[in-house]
Amino acid sequence: MKAYIGIKYHHDCRNRVIIEKIASILEDAGYETSCIIRDKEKWGSVTLTPKTN
């Protein structure tokens, strides 16, 4: 099963530990997780615009 983690995140990634904990719990339960800030924006190293696909 898949789970999308739709959570408010901060640009300084101050809630990264919380996001990682949620992902870890879901993955331990057998879910494949996806999260934009983690997977696409690489914890802030990649900036996406509304026009980015």
Side-chain angles (χ1 to χ4, degrees), residues 3-7 19 33-41 43:
Y4 171 75
I5 302 171
I7 188 170
I19 295 169
T33 63
S34 64
C35 179
I36 296 299
I37 187 68
R38 180 191 66 191
D39 302 337
K40 299 290 184 181
E41 295 185 3
W43 296 115

Side-chain angles (χ1 to χ4, degrees), residues 3-5 20-33:
Y4 171 75
I5 302 171
E20 289 176 332
K21 183 66 176 175
I22 292 168
S24 175
I25 291 167
L26 288 168
E27 290 164 1
D28 287 348
Y31 289 88
E32 176 185 338
T33 63

